[in-house]
Amino acid sequence: AVSESDLVPGFRFSRCSYLLSLLRPALIRELELERHGLKLLPRSPSSFTPCLDGRYLLLGPEAELNRSEIGKFSKKDAEAYPRYEEQLEKFCKLMDFVIDSPPPELRQLYHASMVDRMKDKVDKSVFWSKLLGIVMQQGQKDMVNFFDLLLSPASKILNNWFEGDVLKATLATDAVIGTMAGVNTPGSGYVLLHHIMGETGGQRGVWAYVEGGMGSVSSAISKAALEAGVQIVTNAEVSQVMVDENTGKVQGVALVDGTELHSSVVLSNATPYKTFVDLVPANTLPEEFLCAIKTADYSSATTKINVAVNALPQFRCCKNINPEGGPEHMGTIHIGSESMEE
């Protein structure tokens, strides 16, 4: 989440991350990020798909807009779309608990005290019993549909719901963006949930731009941290995570310049490979765990370019030319994708 101003003079770019929705609401509230300068600009409409035959599809958070726009292509799809979003929202409520809960870790507790082992068992049983309760509330039919969504290709899910190619192509983009997969890849259906899993200002499925670019997210978090007494050091490359050879417990990190920073806890937001293979000393972690880390696939199908333009693009399918920007410029623009195959 970085804003760059030195790529093209006069322009600021969100270099990598470019939209906000999946940052958990609890974090925004607890860190008071809005008080520390985070200002979200909800997208409405959120997507625009121009067609070669002169038609276009706008989608956004407003139900009436979606009904009207989808109805231009299919009345049946216009009726089905609210039900589709309602079902995804149901599944998101189940996912909310999983995402917002500490994961039940598979820890080796050979040398732990009886109290620690009992606490570990209680924590795990609480997590699984709560999850089971949420699953039971869903009902059998919804759970069958939920597992179908998790395991199926996005194309199958969307073909079951809709008949219009342009709508399916627009929604399918959400299933493959950032994923080394196509719409016919099993499991790509799950990524459809990301379209609606996040929220902005309490509104489910609404994505937002961040005023000042995505670097404003990092800036707000750093201000909250500094206020809480955190010391932030930048341009300090870590060479190794220090681990006690006898106990196997972390002791801190060593920097490239030789400085040692001692701590009983180390958090890393580098990749698991960089953290556990490159930074943690060899022969510290179980071989089975390291094998899983080494075989993780980091390949991506996404390319992002940043472009500075002297005017906004104009689309033949829009009768009203908007040199200053119209609804078609407010969200994601899907070019050359009128079918899932394209």
Side-chain angles (χ1 to χ4, degrees):
V2 175
S3 297
E4 300 264 12
S5 55
D6 58 351
L7 298 179
V8 181
F11 292 84
R12 284 170 69 82
F13 293 91
S14 290
R15 188 69 182 267
C16 295
S17 177
Y18 54 98
L19 285 172
L20 189 140
S21 175
L22 297 173
L23 181 62
R24 302 307 292 162
L27 294 178
I28 294 175
R29 285 194 304 271
E30 288 175 25
L31 298 179
E32 299 181 81
L33 296 187
E34 290 180 352
R35 181 169 66 82
H36 290 292
L38 181 68
K39 185 176 179 183
L40 304 182
L41 309 169
R43 299 199 305 169
S44 183
S46 55
S47 76
F48 169 68
T49 308
C51 304
L52 289 172
D53 65 5
R55 296 182 297 172
Y56 63 83
L57 175 67
L58 278 171
L59 291 177
E62 295 178 20
E64 205 44 54
L65 168 77
N66 293 337
R67 177 184 289 274
S68 166
E69 286 289 310
I70 296 170
K72 294 188 304 189
F73 296 85
S74 165
K75 299 296 181 189
K76 182 183 171 186
D77 287 354
E79 296 295 326
Y81 189 73
R83 299 198 305 275
Y84 166 77
E85 290 212 308
E86 186 182 351
Q87 184 175 88
L88 288 189
E89 280 195 37
K90 269 189 190 175
F91 298 156
C92 286
K93 285 172 185 171
L94 190 152
M95 296 300 297
D96 281 346
F97 169 74
V98 177
I99 293 170
D100 290 335
S101 302
E105 296 185 58
L106 298 170
R107 289 181 287 177
Q108 306 291 340
L109 297 172
Y110 303 128
H111 306 297
S113 67
M114 177 69 76
V115 173
D116 285 341
R117 286 203 296 270
M118 285 299 294
K119 184 178 182 301
D120 187 56
K121 285 184 178 178
V122 169
D123 288 344
K124 285 176 181 171
S125 63
V126 167
F127 174 87
W128 291 114
S129 61
K130 281 187 178 177
L131 182 59
L132 182 61
I134 294 171
V135 168
M136 296 294 284
Q137 289 172 11
Q138 296 282 323
Q140 184 174 330
K141 184 175 183 298
D142 280 342
M143 285 314 299
V144 169
N145 290 334
F146 178 62
F147 285 113
D148 193 35
L149 180 74
L150 292 185
L151 302 172
S152 296
S155 56
K156 177 193 170 188
I157 301 297
L158 293 172
N159 281 329
N160 284 347
W161 277 98
F162 308 113
E163 61 184 12
D165 283 338
V166 175
L167 174 62
K168 288 188 287 186
T170 301
L171 297 176
T173 307
D174 294 314
V176 295
I177 190 167
T179 310
M180 200 67 166
V183 291
N184 297 317
T185 305
S188 58
Y190 159 74
V191 192
L192 289 168
L193 277 181
H194 283 228
H195 167 63
I196 208 164
M197 192 184 289
E199 59 181 79
T200 298
Q203 262 194 295
R204 174 79 75 176
V206 175
W207 293 68
Y209 299 111
V210 179
E211 189 174 89
M214 292 299 282
S216 297
V217 179
S218 301
S219 173
I221 292 173
S222 70
K223 287 175 184 173
L226 290 168
E227 189 178 87
V230 173
Q231 181 186 2
I232 298 175
V233 180
T234 58
N235 297 315
E237 186 181 347
V238 173
S239 63
Q240 190 178 59
V241 174
M242 299 186 297
V243 179
D244 187 291
E245 290 182 6
N246 298 317
T247 64
K249 290 187 176 180
V250 71
Q251 293 182 309
V253 295
L255 304 184
V256 168
D257 66 6
T259 305
E260 292 187 352
L261 302 172
H262 294 274
S263 174
S264 59
V265 177
V266 171
L267 303 178
S268 169
N269 78 332
T271 63
Y273 188 96
K274 179 69 178 176
T275 302
F276 295 117
V277 177
D278 293 345
L279 297 180
V280 172
N283 304 319
T284 302
L285 297 164
E287 192 55 42
E288 183 184 7
F289 174 77
L290 280 176
C291 183
I293 295 298
K294 288 176 181 176
T295 55
D297 185 1
Y298 291 102
S299 54
S300 170
T302 299
T303 298
K304 183 174 187 292
I305 61 173
N306 296 290
V307 181
V309 296
N310 60 8
L312 290 174
Q314 301 300 324
F315 299 93
R316 286 198 303 264
C317 58
C318 296
K319 293 184 177 116
N320 299 319
I321 301 300
N322 296 295
E324 299 302 316
E328 67 271 25
H329 298 111
M330 302 299 181
T332 301
I333 302 170
H334 300 258
I335 297 177
S337 54
E338 293 185 42
S339 71
M340 287 194 285
E341 288 70 28
E342 287 177 331

